[in-house]
Amino acid sequence: MEKVKLAVIYYSSTGTNYKLAKMVEEGALEAGAEVRVRKVQELAPDAAIDSNPAWRANIEATKDIPVATSEDLDWADAIIFSMPTRFGNLPSQMKQFLDMQGGIWSQGKLTNKVVSAMSSAGNAHGGQEATVKSLYTSMMHWGAIIVPPGYTDDSIYKAGGNPYGTSVTLGQDGNMVEDVKDAVKHQAKRTVEVAGWIKKGK
């Protein structure tokens, strides 16, 4: 069977979700997948970006990461999304990307995509779970097959125990509080595994 194709679609302002996306890539490659890492288009004005040095630094550091397109979704057997919470919901950058997929959605090209998601926030109860579940609502409209991590591995507990999708808290120093790498890689491998079942079944 040919390799599972995984698109990792992320939005990151100061770099946390870029780091999560790269952990996903590592886990998925270990699972034998073909992987594309793609960022969604930044929408914030330069004035907002320049008001936060970490935001500007991340944009410069990731300038060579391709911007996600509908073609990346069409190509993929599986998709893992990663984004920070914005008031318990999706950031506008990710929401616009999803909203722009009406064309391929209407052609049935998003049906049966295997999807999973992860998120981050500035405090432990800052909306991570709500953000992941909000994305999953859109995935139901796509007819996608949602693969949450659940409690399928001990790494989930070590990372904080979010069964909807790995989530992380950002500390005052700008670094991740929880040790989530193993949980992220497990979520990636689980998503690839389920996508393999679907691909083989087709």
Short mmCIF file of all heavy atoms in Angstrom, two decimals, residues 43-93:
data_model
loop_
_atom_site.label_atom_id
_atom_site.label_comp_id
_atom_site.label_asym_id
_atom_site.label_seq_id
_atom_site.Cartn_x
_atom_site.Cartn_y
_atom_site.Cartn_z
N LEU A 43 -3.14 37.10 8.81
CA LEU A 43 -4.08 38.17 8.49
C LEU A 43 -3.83 39.44 9.29
O LEU A 43 -4.34 40.50 8.93
CB LEU A 43 -5.52 37.71 8.76
CG LEU A 43 -6.00 36.44 8.07
CD1 LEU A 43 -7.41 36.08 8.53
CD2 LEU A 43 -5.97 36.62 6.55
N ALA A 44 -3.07 39.35 10.36
CA ALA A 44 -2.86 40.51 11.23
C ALA A 44 -2.02 41.57 10.53
O ALA A 44 -1.11 41.26 9.75
CB ALA A 44 -2.17 40.07 12.52
N PRO A 45 -2.30 42.84 10.81
CA PRO A 45 -1.51 43.92 10.20
C PRO A 45 -0.12 43.99 10.82
O PRO A 45 0.12 43.52 11.94
CB PRO A 45 -2.33 45.18 10.53
CG PRO A 45 -3.09 44.81 11.77
CD PRO A 45 -3.40 43.35 11.65
N ASP A 46 0.81 44.59 10.08
CA ASP A 46 2.19 44.70 10.56
C ASP A 46 2.27 45.42 11.90
O ASP A 46 3.12 45.09 12.73
CB ASP A 46 3.04 45.44 9.54
CG ASP A 46 3.42 44.55 8.35
OD1 ASP A 46 3.44 43.31 8.53
OD2 ASP A 46 3.71 45.09 7.27
N ALA A 47 1.38 46.38 12.13
CA ALA A 47 1.43 47.12 13.39
C ALA A 47 1.21 46.19 14.58
O ALA A 47 1.87 46.32 15.61
CB ALA A 47 0.37 48.23 13.38
N ALA A 48 0.29 45.26 14.43
CA ALA A 48 0.03 44.30 15.51
C ALA A 48 1.20 43.34 15.67
O ALA A 48 1.64 43.05 16.79
CB ALA A 48 -1.25 43.53 15.22
N ILE A 49 1.72 42.86 14.55
CA ILE A 49 2.85 41.91 14.59
C ILE A 49 4.08 42.57 15.21
O ILE A 49 4.76 41.98 16.06
CB ILE A 49 3.15 41.39 13.18
CG1 ILE A 49 1.96 40.58 12.64
CG2 ILE A 49 4.42 40.56 13.16
CD1 ILE A 49 2.02 40.28 11.16
N ASP A 50 4.35 43.78 14.82
CA ASP A 50 5.55 44.48 15.31
C ASP A 50 5.44 44.89 16.78
O ASP A 50 6.45 45.23 17.41
CB ASP A 50 5.84 45.70 14.44
CG ASP A 50 6.35 45.31 13.06
OD1 ASP A 50 6.94 44.22 12.94
OD2 ASP A 50 6.13 46.08 12.10
N SER A 51 4.23 44.86 17.32
CA SER A 51 4.06 45.20 18.74
C SER A 51 4.52 44.06 19.65
O SER A 51 4.65 44.24 20.86
CB SER A 51 2.58 45.51 19.03
OG SER A 51 1.79 44.32 18.97
N ASN A 52 4.77 42.88 19.07
CA ASN A 52 5.21 41.72 19.84
C ASN A 52 6.46 41.14 19.16
O ASN A 52 6.34 40.50 18.11
CB ASN A 52 4.09 40.68 19.89
CG ASN A 52 4.45 39.47 20.72
OD1 ASN A 52 5.62 39.18 20.97
ND2 ASN A 52 3.43 38.73 21.16
N PRO A 53 7.63 41.36 19.72
CA PRO A 53 8.87 40.89 19.08
C PRO A 53 8.88 39.40 18.77
O PRO A 53 9.42 38.98 17.74
CB PRO A 53 9.95 41.25 20.11
CG PRO A 53 9.38 42.39 20.88
CD PRO A 53 7.91 42.13 20.95
N ALA A 54 8.26 38.59 19.63
CA ALA A 54 8.22 37.15 19.40
C ALA A 54 7.38 36.80 18.17
O ALA A 54 7.68 35.85 17.45
CB ALA A 54 7.68 36.43 20.63
N TRP A 55 6.35 37.58 17.94
CA TRP A 55 5.48 37.37 16.77
C TRP A 55 6.26 37.65 15.49
O TRP A 55 6.26 36.85 14.56
CB TRP A 55 4.26 38.27 16.90
CG TRP A 55 3.10 37.95 16.00
CD1 TRP A 55 3.06 37.09 14.94
CD2 TRP A 55 1.77 38.50 16.11
NE1 TRP A 55 1.82 37.06 14.36
CE2 TRP A 55 1.00 37.92 15.06
CE3 TRP A 55 1.17 39.42 16.96
CZ2 TRP A 55 -0.34 38.26 14.86
CZ3 TRP A 55 -0.16 39.74 16.77
CH2 TRP A 55 -0.92 39.15 15.73
N ARG A 56 6.93 38.80 15.45
CA ARG A 56 7.72 39.15 14.28
C ARG A 56 8.85 38.14 14.06
O ARG A 56 9.12 37.72 12.92
CB ARG A 56 8.30 40.57 14.43
CG ARG A 56 9.26 40.99 13.32
CD ARG A 56 8.65 40.91 11.94
NE ARG A 56 7.61 41.89 11.73
CZ ARG A 56 6.79 41.90 10.67
NH1 ARG A 56 6.90 40.96 9.73
NH2 ARG A 56 5.85 42.82 10.55
N ALA A 57 9.48 37.70 15.14
CA ALA A 57 10.57 36.74 15.03
C ALA A 57 10.09 35.41 14.46
O ALA A 57 10.77 34.79 13.63
CB ALA A 57 11.21 36.52 16.40
N ASN A 58 8.89 34.98 14.87
CA ASN A 58 8.36 33.72 14.35
C ASN A 58 8.02 33.83 12.86
O ASN A 58 8.26 32.89 12.10
CB ASN A 58 7.12 33.30 15.14
CG ASN A 58 6.52 32.01 14.60
OD1 ASN A 58 7.16 30.96 14.60
ND2 ASN A 58 5.29 32.09 14.12
N ILE A 59 7.48 34.96 12.46
CA ILE A 59 7.16 35.15 11.04
C ILE A 59 8.44 35.07 10.20
O ILE A 59 8.47 34.44 9.14
CB ILE A 59 6.42 36.48 10.83
CG1 ILE A 59 4.96 36.31 11.28
CG2 ILE A 59 6.49 36.94 9.37
CD1 ILE A 59 4.08 37.51 11.08
N GLU A 60 9.50 35.68 10.70
CA GLU A 60 10.77 35.63 9.97
C GLU A 60 11.34 34.21 9.96
O GLU A 60 11.86 33.73 8.94
CB GLU A 60 11.77 36.60 10.60
CG GLU A 60 11.43 38.07 10.38
CD GLU A 60 11.32 38.43 8.91
OE1 GLU A 60 12.21 38.02 8.13
OE2 GLU A 60 10.35 39.11 8.53
N ALA A 61 11.23 33.52 11.10
CA ALA A 61 11.80 32.18 11.21
C ALA A 61 11.08 31.15 10.34
O ALA A 61 11.67 30.14 9.95
CB ALA A 61 11.78 31.73 12.67
N THR A 62 9.79 31.41 10.06
CA THR A 62 8.99 30.43 9.31
C THR A 62 8.61 30.94 7.92
O THR A 62 7.69 30.41 7.28
CB THR A 62 7.71 30.06 10.09
OG1 THR A 62 6.92 31.24 10.29
CG2 THR A 62 8.05 29.44 11.44
N LYS A 63 9.33 31.93 7.42
CA LYS A 63 8.97 32.54 6.14
C LYS A 63 9.06 31.56 4.97
O LYS A 63 8.42 31.76 3.93
CB LYS A 63 9.81 33.78 5.87
CG LYS A 63 11.30 33.50 5.73
CD LYS A 63 12.09 34.81 5.60
CE LYS A 63 13.59 34.54 5.51
NZ LYS A 63 14.37 35.80 5.48
N ASP A 64 9.84 30.49 5.13
CA ASP A 64 9.99 29.52 4.04
C ASP A 64 8.97 28.38 4.11
O ASP A 64 8.96 27.52 3.23
CB ASP A 64 11.41 28.95 4.04
CG ASP A 64 12.46 29.99 3.69
OD1 ASP A 64 12.13 30.94 2.95
OD2 ASP A 64 13.60 29.88 4.18
N ILE A 65 8.15 28.36 5.16
CA ILE A 65 7.09 27.33 5.24
C ILE A 65 6.00 27.72 4.25
O ILE A 65 5.49 28.84 4.29
CB ILE A 65 6.50 27.25 6.66
CG1 ILE A 65 7.58 26.92 7.70
CG2 ILE A 65 5.36 26.23 6.71
CD1 ILE A 65 8.12 25.53 7.63
N PRO A 66 5.60 26.83 3.34
CA PRO A 66 4.56 27.18 2.37
C PRO A 66 3.22 27.48 3.05
O PRO A 66 2.90 26.93 4.11
CB PRO A 66 4.45 25.94 1.49
CG PRO A 66 5.75 25.20 1.69
CD PRO A 66 6.16 25.48 3.09
N VAL A 67 2.46 28.36 2.43
CA VAL A 67 1.11 28.67 2.91
C VAL A 67 0.14 27.58 2.44
O VAL A 67 0.20 27.13 1.30
CB VAL A 67 0.66 30.06 2.39
CG1 VAL A 67 -0.81 30.32 2.72
CG2 VAL A 67 1.54 31.15 3.00
N ALA A 68 -0.72 27.14 3.34
CA ALA A 68 -1.67 26.06 3.05
C ALA A 68 -2.65 26.47 1.96
O ALA A 68 -3.09 27.62 1.89
CB ALA A 68 -2.43 25.69 4.31
N THR A 69 -2.99 25.50 1.11
CA THR A 69 -3.96 25.72 0.04
C THR A 69 -4.98 24.58 0.03
O THR A 69 -4.79 23.54 0.67
CB THR A 69 -3.27 25.76 -1.33
OG1 THR A 69 -2.76 24.45 -1.62
CG2 THR A 69 -2.14 26.78 -1.38
N SER A 70 -6.03 24.74 -0.76
CA SER A 70 -7.01 23.68 -0.94
C SER A 70 -6.36 22.43 -1.52
O SER A 70 -6.78 21.31 -1.20
CB SER A 70 -8.14 24.15 -1.86
OG SER A 70 -8.84 25.24 -1.31
N GLU A 71 -5.34 22.62 -2.35
CA GLU A 71 -4.67 21.48 -2.96
C GLU A 71 -4.02 20.58 -1.91
O GLU A 71 -4.00 19.35 -2.06
CB GLU A 71 -3.63 21.96 -3.97
CG GLU A 71 -3.07 20.85 -4.87
CD GLU A 71 -1.93 20.06 -4.24
OE1 GLU A 71 -1.17 20.65 -3.44
OE2 GLU A 71 -1.81 18.85 -4.53
N ASP A 72 -3.52 21.18 -0.83
CA ASP A 72 -2.92 20.39 0.24
C ASP A 72 -3.97 19.49 0.90
O ASP A 72 -3.68 18.34 1.25
CB ASP A 72 -2.29 21.30 1.29
CG ASP A 72 -1.10 22.08 0.74
OD1 ASP A 72 -0.23 21.46 0.10
OD2 ASP A 72 -1.05 23.31 0.94
N LEU A 73 -5.18 20.00 1.06
CA LEU A 73 -6.25 19.21 1.66
C LEU A 73 -6.69 18.10 0.71
O LEU A 73 -6.96 16.97 1.13
CB LEU A 73 -7.44 20.10 2.01
CG LEU A 73 -7.17 21.24 3.00
CD1 LEU A 73 -8.46 22.00 3.26
CD2 LEU A 73 -6.58 20.72 4.31
N ASP A 74 -6.80 18.44 -0.56
CA ASP A 74 -7.20 17.45 -1.57
C ASP A 74 -6.17 16.32 -1.64
O ASP A 74 -6.51 15.13 -1.73
CB ASP A 74 -7.32 18.14 -2.93
CG ASP A 74 -7.91 17.25 -4.01
OD1 ASP A 74 -8.55 16.23 -3.68
OD2 ASP A 74 -7.72 17.56 -5.20
N TRP A 75 -4.89 16.67 -1.54
CA TRP A 75 -3.79 15.71 -1.61
C TRP A 75 -3.80 14.74 -0.43
O TRP A 75 -3.49 13.56 -0.56
CB TRP A 75 -2.47 16.48 -1.64
CG TRP A 75 -1.22 15.69 -1.42
CD1 TRP A 75 -0.50 15.00 -2.36
CD2 TRP A 75 -0.52 15.52 -0.17
NE1 TRP A 75 0.61 14.42 -1.77
CE2 TRP A 75 0.61 14.71 -0.44
CE3 TRP A 75 -0.75 15.97 1.13
CZ2 TRP A 75 1.51 14.36 0.57
CZ3 TRP A 75 0.15 15.61 2.13
CH2 TRP A 75 1.26 14.81 1.84
N ALA A 76 -4.18 15.23 0.73
CA ALA A 76 -4.00 14.50 1.98
C ALA A 76 -5.03 13.39 2.18
O ALA A 76 -6.20 13.54 1.83
CB ALA A 76 -4.07 15.47 3.16
N ASP A 77 -4.57 12.30 2.79
CA ASP A 77 -5.47 11.29 3.34
C ASP A 77 -5.89 11.69 4.75
O ASP A 77 -6.99 11.37 5.20
CB ASP A 77 -4.78 9.92 3.43
CG ASP A 77 -4.28 9.43 2.08
OD1 ASP A 77 -5.10 9.37 1.15
OD2 ASP A 77 -3.08 9.09 1.97
N ALA A 78 -4.99 12.35 5.44
CA ALA A 78 -5.22 12.75 6.83
C ALA A 78 -4.71 14.17 7.04
O ALA A 78 -3.79 14.62 6.35
CB ALA A 78 -4.51 11.79 7.78
N ILE A 79 -5.33 14.87 8.00
CA ILE A 79 -4.96 16.25 8.30
C ILE A 79 -4.90 16.42 9.80
O ILE A 79 -5.83 16.01 10.51
CB ILE A 79 -6.00 17.25 7.73
CG1 ILE A 79 -6.28 16.99 6.25
CG2 ILE A 79 -5.54 18.69 7.94
CD1 ILE A 79 -7.63 17.51 5.79
N ILE A 80 -3.82 17.00 10.29
CA ILE A 80 -3.75 17.39 11.69
C ILE A 80 -3.63 18.91 11.74
O ILE A 80 -2.75 19.49 11.11
CB ILE A 80 -2.59 16.72 12.43
CG1 ILE A 80 -2.83 15.21 12.50
CG2 ILE A 80 -2.45 17.30 13.84
CD1 ILE A 80 -1.76 14.42 13.24
N PHE A 81 -4.55 19.54 12.46
CA PHE A 81 -4.57 20.98 12.62
C PHE A 81 -3.97 21.35 13.98
O PHE A 81 -4.18 20.66 14.97
CB PHE A 81 -6.01 21.50 12.58
CG PHE A 81 -6.71 21.30 11.26
CD1 PHE A 81 -7.48 20.17 11.03
CD2 PHE A 81 -6.62 22.26 10.26
CE1 PHE A 81 -8.14 19.99 9.82
CE2 PHE A 81 -7.28 22.09 9.04
CZ PHE A 81 -8.03 20.95 8.82
N SER A 82 -3.26 22.47 14.03
CA SER A 82 -2.72 22.96 15.29
C SER A 82 -2.85 24.48 15.32
O SER A 82 -2.47 25.16 14.37
CB SER A 82 -1.25 22.55 15.45
OG SER A 82 -0.78 22.85 16.74
N MET A 83 -3.42 25.00 16.40
CA MET A 83 -3.66 26.45 16.48
C MET A 83 -3.83 26.87 17.94
O MET A 83 -4.25 26.08 18.77
CB MET A 83 -4.90 26.86 15.67
CG MET A 83 -6.22 26.25 16.14
SD MET A 83 -6.60 24.74 15.23
CE MET A 83 -7.32 23.73 16.52
N PRO A 84 -3.53 28.13 18.24
CA PRO A 84 -3.80 28.65 19.57
C PRO A 84 -5.28 28.95 19.72
O PRO A 84 -6.01 29.06 18.73
CB PRO A 84 -2.97 29.94 19.61
CG PRO A 84 -2.93 30.39 18.18
CD PRO A 84 -2.90 29.12 17.36
N THR A 85 -5.71 29.08 20.97
CA THR A 85 -7.09 29.50 21.20
C THR A 85 -7.20 31.02 21.12
O THR A 85 -6.26 31.74 21.43
CB THR A 85 -7.59 29.01 22.58
OG1 THR A 85 -8.97 29.30 22.71
CG2 THR A 85 -6.82 29.65 23.73
N ARG A 86 -8.33 31.48 20.67
CA ARG A 86 -8.65 32.90 20.70
C ARG A 86 -10.03 33.03 21.34
O ARG A 86 -11.04 32.75 20.71
CB ARG A 86 -8.66 33.51 19.28
CG ARG A 86 -7.29 33.58 18.63
CD ARG A 86 -6.39 34.61 19.31
NE ARG A 86 -5.09 34.73 18.65
CZ ARG A 86 -3.99 34.09 19.01
NH1 ARG A 86 -4.03 33.23 20.02
NH2 ARG A 86 -2.85 34.27 18.38
N PHE A 87 -10.03 33.41 22.61
CA PHE A 87 -11.27 33.52 23.37
C PHE A 87 -12.08 32.23 23.31
O PHE A 87 -13.29 32.23 23.13
CB PHE A 87 -12.11 34.72 22.88
CG PHE A 87 -11.37 36.03 22.96
CD1 PHE A 87 -11.03 36.72 21.81
CD2 PHE A 87 -10.99 36.56 24.20
CE1 PHE A 87 -10.35 37.93 21.88
CE2 PHE A 87 -10.30 37.76 24.27
CZ PHE A 87 -9.99 38.45 23.11
N GLY A 88 -11.39 31.10 23.42
CA GLY A 88 -12.04 29.81 23.43
C GLY A 88 -12.49 29.32 22.07
O GLY A 88 -13.23 28.35 21.97
N ASN A 89 -12.01 29.98 21.03
CA ASN A 89 -12.44 29.62 19.69
C ASN A 89 -11.23 29.59 18.76
O ASN A 89 -10.10 29.79 19.17
CB ASN A 89 -13.50 30.61 19.18
CG ASN A 89 -14.56 29.95 18.34
OD1 ASN A 89 -14.27 29.16 17.46
ND2 ASN A 89 -15.82 30.31 18.61
N LEU A 90 -11.49 29.33 17.47
CA LEU A 90 -10.41 29.31 16.49
C LEU A 90 -9.88 30.71 16.23
O LEU A 90 -10.64 31.67 16.18
CB LEU A 90 -10.92 28.73 15.17
CG LEU A 90 -11.39 27.28 15.17
CD1 LEU A 90 -11.95 26.93 13.80
CD2 LEU A 90 -10.27 26.34 15.54
N PRO A 91 -8.56 30.84 16.01
CA PRO A 91 -8.04 32.13 15.56
C PRO A 91 -8.60 32.44 14.17
O PRO A 91 -8.88 31.54 13.38
CB PRO A 91 -6.52 31.91 15.52
CG PRO A 91 -6.33 30.43 15.49
CD PRO A 91 -7.52 29.81 16.13
N SER A 92 -8.76 33.71 13.88
CA SER A 92 -9.40 34.11 12.62
C SER A 92 -8.63 33.60 11.41
O SER A 92 -9.23 33.31 10.37
CB SER A 92 -9.53 35.64 12.55
OG SER A 92 -8.27 36.27 12.69
N GLN A 93 -7.32 33.47 11.55
CA GLN A 93 -6.52 32.98 10.42
C GLN A 93 -6.91 31.55 10.05
O GLN A 93 -7.06 31.23 8.85
CB GLN A 93 -5.02 33.05 10.78
CG GLN A 93 -4.48 34.46 10.95
CD GLN A 93 -4.65 35.02 12.35
OE1 GLN A 93 -5.42 34.52 13.17
NE2 GLN A 93 -3.93 36.10 12.64
#
